[in-house]
Amino acid sequence: MLSMANTHLYKPNLVIVISGPSGSGKSSVIDALCEADETLQLSVSATTRNPRPGEVDGVNYHFLSKAEFEEHIQQGSFLEWAEYGDNLYGTLKSEIVSAREAGKDTILEIEVEGSLQIREREKDLTPARSLLIFIIPPSFATLEERLRRRQTESEKELKQRLDIAKSEVLQIEHYDYWVSNPEDEVQQAVNQIQAIITAERSRIDDKLIETINPLLNVDCTD
Ligand code: 5GP
């Protein structure tokens, strides 16, 4: 008899991109998300920006000099990279490979330009596929207030981040889903993202069809 048992073995491999303006609270949401779901692995990005107080090299970021970052670009080590403010940020291909080898889906917390590169280079992700989620803050006034409260940027950098935020929100059309993140509602945003991921894991894609096709070719007359 025809059995669909093999479909239970099928698990898509996802590269989950989460973007949102600086101050949208995405880091808190992502930390809570990764804590709640051990099948997710956060990619540690490379950057040329200076560490903030409390940030640890290899944990929050791989902090690189500009020369080191450019060397990685030359070597083709990045899946994507972009300039943000006066600094460079990029996702090392090795981060995705390590998550895949651990049987996990990767979470990338990156800005919009890099996310669009991921979408354009979808084939480079094979056998994984991308899922783009955009976190929206309640208002620009809230963004500004959050950025001022954390006191990690100069006035010039803060203004630069608010300008970038406006241009990023205008590019939301390139994303698959949006999630709102009102003040003090981290768990609500986490629940929403978990629901999206659960749905995406059940999306019918080419790999699922490949898994099912041989079963359909079986002679099931007996
Ligand atoms: P921050 O300096 O606040 O840590 O990050 C600034 C911006 O760079 C944020 O929007 C953050 O999501 C983004 N970012 C962090 N890592 C990467 C990365 O690997 N690639 C790209 N394109 N953006 C990144």
Side-chain angles (χ1 to χ4, degrees), residues 162-176:
L162 288 172
D163 284 344
I164 296 174
K166 286 179 187 152
S167 65
E168 287 193 319
V169 173
L170 289 173
Q171 301 202 64
I172 199 168
E173 61 181 310
H174 301 294
Y175 284 73
D176 299 312

Side-chain angles (χ1 to χ4, degrees), residues 2-27:
L2 181 64
S3 158
M4 289 287 170
N6 282 6
T7 55
H8 293 302
L9 302 176
Y10 173 71
K11 182 184 170 294
N13 191 227
L14 300 175
V15 172
I16 303 160
V17 174
I18 303 188
S19 301
S22 185
S24 60
K26 59 184 184 302
S27 298

Side-chain angles (χ1 to χ4, degrees), residues 42-61:
L42 182 60
S43 158
V44 179
S45 294
T47 184
T48 60
R49 93 150 156 70
N50 292 326
R52 292 181 188 137
E55 283 186 332
V56 178
D57 187 31
V59 176
N60 302 94
Y61 278 107

Side-chain angles (χ1 to χ4, degrees), residues 23-25 135-143 146 179-185:
S24 60
I135 297 191
I136 299 190
S139 68
F140 281 104
T142 314
L143 270 192
R146 284 179 184 167
V179 168
S180 72
N181 187 27
E183 198 79 58
D184 301 326
E185 297 288 357

Side-chain angles (χ1 to χ4, degrees), residues 10 13 17 52 55 58 62 68 75 84 88 91 96 116 138 152-153 180 199 201:
Y10 173 71
N13 191 227
V17 174
R52 292 181 188 137
E55 283 186 332
H62 300 291
E68 287 169 328
Q75 289 170 348
Y84 179 96
L88 302 173
T91 304
I96 314 289
L116 301 188
T152 46
E153 282 81 29
S180 72
R201 284 177 175 155

